[in-house]
Structure formats: structure tokens, C-alpha cells
């Protein structure tokens, strides 16, 4: 592994070209990077490639058609295996079905469906024909879905009647119907519906069963190469403003990053490992480390539809035991949940097959790290804490098994080929080991193949959001520090993005959802520390006195407003608390001082209030809380 570091250090672009050449290119590239239009980068631009071919055909042609690609475990207990040959066959049929529906190169296809094999087949079929998928997590509400469909201008929606979650059928088609009501998604021509839960659905003129479309389609489909910079997918994520951003990834560079990091960070030996990443495909982790990375590497992997507690908290451990999983990748929130449940549940299972454990999505506190390593890993596994983002496309900072000893709580070092730094407010580099306060803003200092290529439909927003704070550097939005050995510790977001159970939410987005309710005059949302979910949503609202004349009690108001946020965004954004206040703390220039609200939400004494326009506001909020009227 130390070879990779020195190779990348000596010839960074040569290193990336070599990683890219591990993939199959329909037309080889001669140029590695063009950054002349910075911050817009082109990687491997004169080459042509097909992502689906790399994930499927290539392995089958190499004689690995019988290797298991997917070990699917449904929540109710059903299971199904797909070999690479079977997955290819299904994907070819799906590609032909999409073509028959008029989907072509560059068309956007929204996918709103559970973690079942058909969803992966749908993604690979869309990619195969050069269309662009936009997967929307099934936990988003119909309204959030509608906004994403319309922003992407999707021509087709692929959904399911429902998916199983917590022992129940979670309806999805109904949400699509709701989103499309009154022609509110004018670009959508057809909706393909996968049957999963057998929940009754209304099929209208533009609806078509997935199974009918597939069975009518031929299994012959030759994948052609697309330009390396051809768009592969859009994935919406929350930023600092109210409107989610469509993060755009293109084909050659993204696939290079996903495949290289998946193999390197998890020390993958595809011929013998059984890999399992618990992420949903609605998030970037599901794109890079359930679909593109593992399949491009010919891995055998488990996918599980449901939640870890259904029917009992043993579920995940039963799955690891059943399939003899060797590599396991999950989020700290899940680990902390299991810590609370207790190690006895885990101890009932044989997890000795595990050898690598990964963590992603939020900082992992050393206590959770040790528990993960000891109770799940039986003290014999390597633990890798992987830092990256929707925008980076693949892992940027992580330990590499065997390269050096991993350190509890630290993300550690940039991967070979990736150049990161920490700078102070003025953009000056923070020097590792300079003193114990070696902290600042985390930046990525040179372009990398799987970097986002832009924000869908908004090139200015791309420049402004990521490249303007420290010119010439990508600013990730996270704070970080070096320890005395030069290892990187991630300190969390420094902007108004919060992380709840690893899900990325924008305080501004929740605030705008709240003020859309006719009772709410103003809202301020903060992320308050939470033992399990890392952060929790706490909202402070000022009510419109004229609108609430005959409104219910404050407790009922809080409940109604929480449900309102669920309707507007989805259950992941549901506030833990809604606190009705008369005023919000603002500076003289009118900026809400969230820092003070966070103090209140976390039960700390309120910090310095001297910059407030009205310094009595905080005492009023405190007095209110002590009355005990929160929710
Ligand atoms: O704050 C960082 C946190 O998650 C953010 C990115 O969120 P998202 O785009 O949803 O992608 C999550 C999965 C890659 C980052 O800005 N984050 C992610 N991984 C870590 C992390 N924080 C600390 N340690 C990590 N390993």
C-alpha cells in the first residue's frame, strides 16, 4: 500500500490514469486531466466508456458470470440471489424496455423505490443507454419528490408499489401519484411501477408495470461507449440555502474514483470477500458503495431492504452470520443505537467472518469506534473511518488496511491521489503538529476524478458554493484539525448543514418549510447534539398572532408543525422539538444568532449576547423554557 502513496506522490496524474485503465474503455483516453476551465474539470475526456458494461458485461466476458453479484435479503424474510450473468440479463431487458418507452441519451429518469434488486437493475439500465438517473430516497415526501423531478426535468419515473420498512409496507406509488397530481410534473411521460409489497395501487394511463415492460423486452442489448464526461447521475443533497442542489457526476472519472477507493479502502478480494454496505441507494454511499464501486470490482455483496430492528435487533447480525460477511460498512448512528441496545444481542451471533469494518457519514466518537471494533469486530478487524461527501463522489480521507494503524476517532490521511489541506480563515495553511490548536477549514487542493462536475442547471452555484471561499481550492464545508502526528480529525460542518442519523439536512430548508405554514411568521432551526443521531432538529418559531386566534394549545401547535415538516420534506427532517418564542435573537444587521439558540437547545448557559440588537430576547426564551412549554 505504501507503494500507492509514493506512486501517487511522484506522478499524480499518471497514477489516476492507471486507476482509470483498470476499467474497460470502449475508446481509450489519451488525456488525463483538463483543468483549463477551472473549477470545471474534465477527466479522461477523449475516452469513451459505459458504466453498466464495466459493472456487468466485463465480468461475464471474463468468465465470472456465475459469481454472485447480489445476495438480496428482503425485510419480511424473502431472499434472492443474482449472479453477474443474471444481473446482466435483467439489465439488458430493462435497457430495452426503457428505449421502448422513448428514453434516450441524456434524458433524466427519477427512481423512487426501495433497496431491492430491481432498483439496482434500473440504475444500471439507465446508465447503459446513456440516460441520467436521479434517485430520490424513499423517505422523502411527495412534495420533496416533486421538486426533485421538476428540477431534473425527468422524463420517466421508476417506482414501486411500496417497500417493506419496520414490518409494514411503506407506500411509494401513492407518493408519486400525489407528486404528479394536477399535471405538476409536466416533463414526466411515463411511470414504471415495480411490484414489491402487493399494496393496491391505481394505475392510470401513463402508468406501466415494470414486470410487463421487462417481459416484453429482448435480452439482447449491446452497450455502447459514451464520452467520459457524459452525465451519469444527478443526486440531490442539502446545502446552506433552502433549495436542494442536484449534484452532477459524470461517467469516467466517477467510476474510476468509486472502483479504486472501494478496492483500496476495503482491501477487496472479489473472489472471496462478501461485502455489505448498509446504505440505501437513495444516498451517495449507496451509489458509490452499493452500486458502482462493488459491481465495477466484481464483488459479491449483500443488500438488505429493511431497518436493523425488524423483526428484532438481531437482524443485521443474523445476516452477517448467514452470508459470512467479511467487509461491513455502516454509519456511527447505527453503531450508537446498537451500543444502547447492548452487546448481548450481538454476542448471540457468530461474526467471526468479518475482517474489515467501515464507518461513514458523521464523525465516529472514540467510544463508538472501540465498541464497533471490539463487540462487532471481535478485536480482530481493521476499522476504517471514511470521510467524503455527495460532492466528492468517493472516499477522500481514510485509513487503508495494512498501510498504517488506524486511530479511533480520526479519519486520518488523504487517500493516494487526493490532496487535502486545512486552512485558517484567511486561507493560510495550518501546519500539522504546529500546536494543539492546529484546526481550520478542510479543503481539497487539487482536482480528483470523481469530483462533482456541477450543480444541475446552476453553474454559478457550483463556483460560489465550493470554490469562492478559498480561491483555487475546493471547500468542503467541514472543519478539521491535525493531531501531533499529522493525522486529520474531522470536526463537523461549519455551515448550516446538519447531520441527523447521517442524513444531511439544511436548516434553511426546514426553516422555509416551516414558514410556508400559515401560522408561522418566522423560524430558526438548529442542530442540537443528540446521543444517538449525532444531531437532532430543534426549531424555534414565532407565530402569527392573527392566524392563531383559535389555534390549539402550544403542544398541539408543535405536533402539527412537526407533521407539516414531514409532509414538506420527509420523516428524516421531523423536528425533535418545536419551541414557540416571541422573538428570535438577531444581530443589529438582522442575522439570526443560531449559536445562542444552539446553547438553549443543548441546555447550556447562553454565551455572549453583546452583539444582539436586543439583549433581553435570550432571557425571554430561557424564561419560556423554564416554564416547561416546549412540546
Ligand atoms: O460533514 C461531513 C460528514 O458528512 C458530510 C457529507 O454528507 P453527505 O454528502 O450526505 O455524504 C455522506 C456520505 C459520504 C461531510 O461534509 N461526514 C461524512 N463522512 C464523515 C463525515 N464526518 C466525519 N467523519 C466522517 N467519516
Amino acid at each position: 500500500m505504501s507503494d500507492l502513496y509514493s506512486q501517487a506522490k511522484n506522478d499524480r496524474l499518471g497514477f489516476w490514469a492507471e486507476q482509470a485503465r483498470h476499467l474497460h474503455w470502449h475508446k481509450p483516453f489519451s488525456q488525463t486531466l483538463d483543468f483549463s476551465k477551472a473549477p470545471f474539470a474534465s477527466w479522461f475526456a477523449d475516452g469513451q466508456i459505459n458504466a453498466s458494461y464495466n459493472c456487468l458485461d466485463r465480468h461475464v466476458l471474463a468468465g465470472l458470470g456465475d459469481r454472485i453479484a447480489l445476495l438480496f435479503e428482503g425485510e419480511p424474510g424473502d431472499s434472492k440471489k443474482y449472479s453477474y450473468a443474471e444481473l446482466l440479463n435483467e439489465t439488458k431487458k430493462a435497457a430495452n424496455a426503457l428505449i421502448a418507452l422513448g428514453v434516450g441519451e441524456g434524458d433524466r429518469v427519477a427512481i423512487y423505490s426501495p433497496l431491492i434488486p430491481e432498483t439496482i437493475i434500473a440504475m444500471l439500465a439507465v446508465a447503459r443507454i446513456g440516460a441520467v438517473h436521479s434517485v430520490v430516497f424513499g423517505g422523502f415526501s411527495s412534495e420533496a419528490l416533486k421538486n426533485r423531478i421538476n428540477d431534473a426535468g425527468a422524463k420517466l419515473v421508476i417506482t414501486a408499489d411500496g417497500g417493506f420498512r419496520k414490518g409494514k409496507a411503506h407506500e411509494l406509488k401513492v407518493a408519486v401519484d400525489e407528486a404528479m397530481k394536477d399535471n405538476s410534473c409536466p416533463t414526466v411521460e411515463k411511470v414504471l411501477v415495480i411490484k414489491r409489497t402487493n399494496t393496491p395501487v391505481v394505475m392510470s394511463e401513463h402508468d406501466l408495470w415494470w414486470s410487463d415492460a421487462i417481459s416484453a423486452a429482448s435480452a439482447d442489448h449491446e452497450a455502447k461507449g459514451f464520452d467520459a464526461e457524459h452525465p451519469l447521475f444527478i443526486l440531490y443533497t442539502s446545502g446552506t440555502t433552502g433549495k436542494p442542489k442536484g449534484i452532477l457526476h459524470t461517467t469516467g472519472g466517477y467510476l474510476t474514483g468509486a472502483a479504486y477507493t472501494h478496492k483500496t479502502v476495503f482491501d477487496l478480494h472479489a473472489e472471496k470477500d462478501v461485502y455489505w454496505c448498509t446504505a440505501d441507494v437513495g444516498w451517495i454511499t449507496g451509489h458509490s458503495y452499493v452500486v458502482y464501486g462493488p459491481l465495477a470490482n466484481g464483488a459479491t455483496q449483500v443488500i438488505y431492504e429493511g431497518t436493523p430492528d425488524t423483526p428484532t435487533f438481531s437482524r443485521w447480525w443474523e445476516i452477517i452470520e448467514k452470508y459470512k460477511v467479511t467487509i461491513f460498512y455502516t454509519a456511527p448512528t447505527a453503531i450508537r443505537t446498537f451500543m444502547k441496545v447492548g452487546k448481548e444481542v450481538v454476542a448471540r451471533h457468530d461474526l467471526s467472518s468479518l475482517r474489515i469494518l467501515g464507518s461513514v457519514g458523521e464523525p465516529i466518537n472514540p467510544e463508538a469506534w472501540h465498541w464497533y471494533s471490539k463487540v462487532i469486530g471481535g478485536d480482530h478487524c481493521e476499522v476504517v473511518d471514511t470521510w467524503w461527501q455527495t460532492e466528492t463522489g468517493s472516499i477522500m480521507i481514510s485509513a487503508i488496511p495494512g498501510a498504517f494503524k488506524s486511530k479511533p476517532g480520526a479519519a486520518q490521511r488523504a487517500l493516494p491521489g487526493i490532496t487535502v489541506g486545512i486552512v485558517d480563515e484567511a486561507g493560510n495553511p495550518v501546519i500539522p503538529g504546529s500546536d494543539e490548536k492546529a484546526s481550520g477549514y478542510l479543503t481539497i487542493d487539487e482536482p480528483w476524478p470523481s469530483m462533482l462536475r456541477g450543480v444541475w442547471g446552476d453553474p454559478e452555484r457550483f463556483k460560489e458554493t465550493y470554490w469562492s471561499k478559498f480561491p483555487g481550492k475546493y471547500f468542503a464545508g467541514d472543519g478539521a484539525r491535525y493531531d501531533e502526528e499529522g493525522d486529520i480529525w474531522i470536526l463537523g460542518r461549519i455551515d448550516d448543514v446538519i447531520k441527523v442519523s447521517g442524513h444531511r439536512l439544511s436548516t434553511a430548508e426546514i426553516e422555509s418549510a416551516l414558514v410556508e405554514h400559515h401560522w408561522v411568521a418566522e423560524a430558526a432551526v438548529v442542530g442540537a447534539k443528540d446521543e444517538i443521531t449525532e444531531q437532532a432538529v430543534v426549531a424555534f418559531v414565532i407565530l402569527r398572532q392573527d392566524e392563531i386566534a383559535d389555534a390549539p394549545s402550544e403542544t398541539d401547535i408543535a405536533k402539527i408543525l412537526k407533521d407539516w415538516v414531514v409532509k414538506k420534506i420527509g420523516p428524516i427532517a421531523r423536528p425533535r422539538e418545536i419551541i414557540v418564542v416571541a422573538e428570535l435573537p438577531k444581530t443589529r444587521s438582522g442575522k439570526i444568532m443560531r449559536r445562542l439558540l444552539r446553547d438553549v437547545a443543548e441546555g447550556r448557559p447562553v454565551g455572549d449576547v453583546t452583539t444582539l440588537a436586543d439583549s433581553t430576547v435570550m432571557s425571554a426564551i430561557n424564561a419560556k423554557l423554564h416554564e416547561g412549554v416546549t412540546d
Side-chain angles (χ1 to χ4, degrees):
M1 280 307 156
S2 53
D3 286 1
L4 283 184
Y5 287 101
S6 56
Q7 201 190 336
K9 197 157 178 237
N10 296 339
D11 177 13
R12 202 178 80 91
L13 294 184
F15 169 84
W16 280 120
E18 191 182 319
Q19 301 313 318
R21 289 192 182 105
H22 291 316
L23 299 171
H24 171 87
W25 290 82
H26 276 70
K27 176 175 169 252
F29 59 89
S30 61
Q31 185 188 36
T32 301
L33 169 67
D34 177 3
F35 204 38
S36 58
K37 297 193 187 71
F40 295 94
S42 297
W43 284 87
F44 320 120
D46 59 343
Q48 290 193 332
I49 188 165
N50 185 301
S52 176
Y53 183 97
N54 271 281
C55 290
L56 302 169
D57 308 55
R58 188 164 60 116
H59 308 310
V60 175
L61 290 170
L64 302 174
D66 291 340
R67 181 182 289 172
I68 299 298
L70 300 179
L71 294 159
F72 168 66
E73 190 73 18
E75 197 188 75
D78 54 324
S79 59
K80 193 166 179 191
K81 291 179 187 174
Y82 282 81
S83 67
Y84 272 93
E86 286 165 336
L87 202 58
L88 172 60
N89 198 50
E90 292 299 302
T91 303
K92 284 180 171 177
K93 286 200 258 173
N96 284 326
L98 295 178
I99 294 168
L101 290 173
V103 179
E105 247 174 78
D107 286 339
R108 274 82 60 208
V109 176
I111 302 180
Y112 184 67
S113 89
L115 183 45
I116 53 176
E118 288 84 347
T119 304
I120 296 178
I121 292 165
M123 290 168 76
L124 293 169
V126 169
R128 190 172 186 88
I129 62 169
V132 183
H133 56 71
S134 167
V135 183
V136 180
F137 175 58
F140 279 116
S141 68
S142 60
E143 220 167 306
L145 171 67
K146 178 178 77 189
N147 295 337
R148 286 160 174 76
I149 290 175
N150 286 337
D151 190 81
K155 188 170 187 179
L156 179 82
V157 177
I158 301 177
T159 188
D161 49 358
F164 291 104
R165 277 195 91 69
K166 292 193 179 288
K168 288 204 257 330
H170 165 67
E171 291 183 333
L172 292 165
K173 170 68 165 59
V174 170
V176 175
D177 292 346
E178 180 70 28
M180 291 188 40
K181 204 170 64 186
D182 304 327
N183 197 28
S184 16
C185 298
T187 56
V188 177
E189 292 172 9
K190 292 272 177 221
V191 177
L192 266 181
V193 188
I194 302 163
K195 194 171 263 182
R196 169 65 186 144
T197 52
N198 278 322
T199 312
V201 295
V202 180
M203 296 293 279
S204 26
E205 218 177 290
H206 56 241
D207 295 328
L208 208 85
W209 288 108
W210 166 269
S211 51
D212 292 344
I214 298 284
S215 54
S218 139
D220 283 334
H221 182 273
E222 199 176 324
K224 72 169 217 182
F226 297 100
D227 289 345
E229 286 296 343
H230 186 73
L232 180 62
F233 66 85
I234 303 167
L235 185 58
Y236 285 85
T237 190
S238 298
T240 50
T241 66
K243 193 171 172 281
K245 301 177 279 211
I247 301 297
L248 173 67
H249 283 287
T250 57
T251 313
Y254 170 79
L255 201 62
T256 299
Y260 152 69
T261 53
H262 179 255
K263 186 164 176 11
T264 309
V265 171
F266 300 110
D267 181 35
L268 180 80
H269 291 81
E271 67 293 351
K272 56 179 189 209
D273 274 317
V274 179
Y275 165 87
W276 182 20
C277 165
T278 63
D280 189 273
V281 285
W283 309 110
I284 191 68
T285 310
H287 281 62
S288 304
Y289 300 107
V290 176
V291 182
Y292 291 106
L295 296 177
N297 288 332
T300 295
Q301 70 173 322
V302 172
I303 57 168
Y304 170 56
E305 175 187 29
T307 55
D309 55 352
T310 307
T312 69
F313 275 107
S314 282
R315 192 62 192 270
W316 277 11
W317 321 120
E318 283 164 8
I319 293 176
I320 293 181
E321 187 170 2
K322 173 172 174 187
Y323 294 110
K324 300 199 170 25
V325 172
T326 58
I327 306 170
F328 183 60
Y329 192 28
T330 194
T333 295
I335 300 164
R336 287 192 293 265
T337 304
F338 283 108
M339 280 171 78
K340 211 163 166 194
V341 173
K343 58 177 186 290
E344 298 70 29
V345 173
V346 182
R348 285 200 284 271
H349 300 277
D350 176 7
L351 307 184
S352 59
S353 55
L354 289 170
R355 66 183 188 89
I356 309 266
L357 301 176
S359 172
V360 62
E362 1 147 16
I364 177 163
N365 45 312
E367 202 192 350
W369 193 103
H370 283 297
W371 196 89
Y372 195 23
S373 171
K374 189 168 181 333
V375 179
I376 309 299
D379 269 336
H380 66 262
C381 293
E382 298 261 8
V383 181
V384 287
D385 177 15
T386 63
W387 178 88
W388 59 295
Q389 309 177 297
T390 306
E391 291 87 341
T392 68
S394 61
I395 299 169
M396 299 281 104
I397 306 179
S398 169
I400 296 182
F404 48 86
K405 205 168 151 27
S406 46
K407 192 180 276 183
Q412 296 192 284
R413 299 185 199 167
L415 291 183
I418 303 296
T419 325
V420 304
I422 301 178
V423 295
D424 64 16
E425 185 66 40
N428 300 314
V430 166
I431 310 298
S434 52
D435 62 31
E436 75 280 3
K437 292 199 294 295
S439 66
Y441 302 93
L442 182 65
T443 58
I444 307 180
D445 299 349
E446 286 179 295
W448 65 102
S450 66
M451 64 197 269
L452 77 162
R453 297 301 194 267
V455 174
W456 185 255
D458 199 347
E460 275 313 306
R461 195 168 172 196
F462 169 65
K463 287 200 228 170
E464 169 62 29
T465 311
Y466 304 104
W467 302 90
S468 65
K469 189 165 172 70
F470 304 112
K473 293 178 182 201
Y474 170 89
F475 174 49
D478 280 278
R481 72 173 175 89
Y482 289 117
D483 65 17
E484 46 298 333
E485 287 166 313
D487 279 328
I488 295 172
W489 294 66
I490 306 294
L491 301 173
R493 301 289 306 195
I494 54 97
D495 52 14
D496 295 327
V497 169
I498 59 176
K499 279 286 181 140
V500 178
S501 297
H503 299 149
R504 177 164 160 183
L505 299 169
S506 141
T507 53
E509 193 179 350
I510 304 171
E511 284 162 7
S512 42
L514 281 166
V515 295
E516 274 177 54
H517 194 286
H518 67 106
W519 287 345
V520 180
E522 228 180 313
V525 167
V526 296
K529 189 104 198 97
D530 186 278
E531 204 189 314
I532 300 288
T533 60
E534 170 79 14
Q535 286 185 301
V537 177
V538 175
F540 295 81
V541 295
I542 302 178
L543 299 177
R544 284 179 196 278
Q545 293 312 321
D546 49 341
E547 291 282 349
I548 52 157
D550 48 314
S553 70
E554 280 193 9
T555 310
D556 290 337
I557 291 175
K559 159 111 188 31
I560 290 166
L561 292 180
K562 284 180 188 178
D563 291 345
W564 175 258
V565 173
V566 172
K567 176 171 174 320
K568 288 275 151 188
I569 305 175
I572 51 171
R574 186 184 179 86
R576 183 182 73 186
E577 261 177 285
I578 290 193
I579 302 168
V580 176
V581 294
E583 292 288 344
L584 288 168
K586 288 186 184 158
T587 59
R588 282 173 203 101
S589 59
K591 206 169 146 19
I592 295 175
M593 291 197 67
R594 287 198 176 68
R595 170 172 64 77
L596 300 177
L597 294 174
R598 232 173 353 249
D599 288 341
V600 171
E602 295 179 351
R604 270 192 308 273
V606 172
D608 183 9
V609 294
T610 49
T611 50
L612 284 184
D614 174 358
S615 59
T616 62
V617 170
M618 288 315 297
S619 18
I621 293 179
N622 262 330
K624 174 79 192 269
L625 282 180
H626 292 129
E627 279 168 27
V629 189
T630 54
D631 172 19

